[in-house]
Amino acid sequence: MVVVATGFFDGVHLGHRQIIDTLVRTARERGGRSVLISFWPHPRTVLQKDARDLRLLTSRDEKKDIITALGVDQVEIMPFTREFSRLSTEEYLRDIVIGRFGADAILLGYDNRMGFDSGSPDQIAAIAEGLGLEVIRMDAVSIGGGVTVSSTKIRTALSQGDVEMAAKMLGRRYSLYGVTVAGNRLGRTIGFPTANMKLYEPLKLLPADGCYLVEVETLGRRYHGMTNIGHRPTVSGGIGDANHRTIETNIFDFDEDIYGLDLTVSFIAQIREEKHFPSLDALKRQLESDRDWCVAKIKE
């Protein structure tokens, strides 16, 4: 018995997790294997549908690691090509889901799409059943206030700086992964040295410009800190680089050289939006206030 779930699963949010939990449980109850089929790159980058604006919640490796940790027996990340995009729903189910992976049953989410001619979930279910697949239907997942969880809503929350709402829908804090690179060292001159991050996944979505309380993982240990995302406005004129956003993190109680090393930043709460400052003294006073806010928040 092989039970399959299929989709892009960007973010692996609470709705995805319900599907994955059901996939794993069903396969185990029936003495079979759980298989999750996903794709890379995102279909929009191949089909050029607003691809310039596309930003992802999870990289390929991050997504695969999260799904594997949830107990799925086999995680397949298939190359999404133009040729692949031309498969119909029936061809995809017959040739890939059944033909390549030997599926006996398939989980179908409330908004699952598959094939260039993908219809409604009812239409997909009818095709699947016509091919001999058992179809297990899944409902949407909602959080407080009846908000349906979706990758789109998580992207919207992050674009508004609401990292706490994003975390509720993800079921974990939103994180960035990268390497520490050289910065302008301005923070060090005023007592707030920063680790500057270059993302491993260039298409990873950044939260809105602003200052955030974060948890930082580096050198195998975890720390609290505050991260500023923005265009690094100059102190004097308030003019930054409009085409380049920086990720600068001041790690609390930390004074080690981590240039060239891995860095993970997980967002806890937004402190404030990005600001311009008339002087270094004004910037320093704001950062001291930001740090006090963080310490109070951590103690809550």
Side-chain angles (χ1 to χ4, degrees), residues 168-181:
K168 289 178 182 178
M169 289 190 280
L170 284 167
R172 66 184 186 283
R173 290 171 182 159
Y174 186 69
S175 299
L176 300 178
Y177 304 88
V179 61
T180 308
V181 297

Side-chain angles (χ1 to χ4, degrees), residues 6 88-90 92-93 97 106-115 117-131 133-135 137:
T6 180
S88 66
T89 301
E90 183 171 352
Y92 176 69
L93 289 170
V97 175
I106 186 168
L107 273 72
L108 187 61
Y110 80 100
D111 63 347
N112 244 165
R113 296 290 182 267
M114 56 190 78
D117 59 347
S118 185
S120 68
D122 286 342
Q123 292 171 319
I124 296 172
I127 294 171
E129 289 169 346
L131 292 169
L133 285 170
E134 176 188 353
V135 175
R137 301 288 290 269

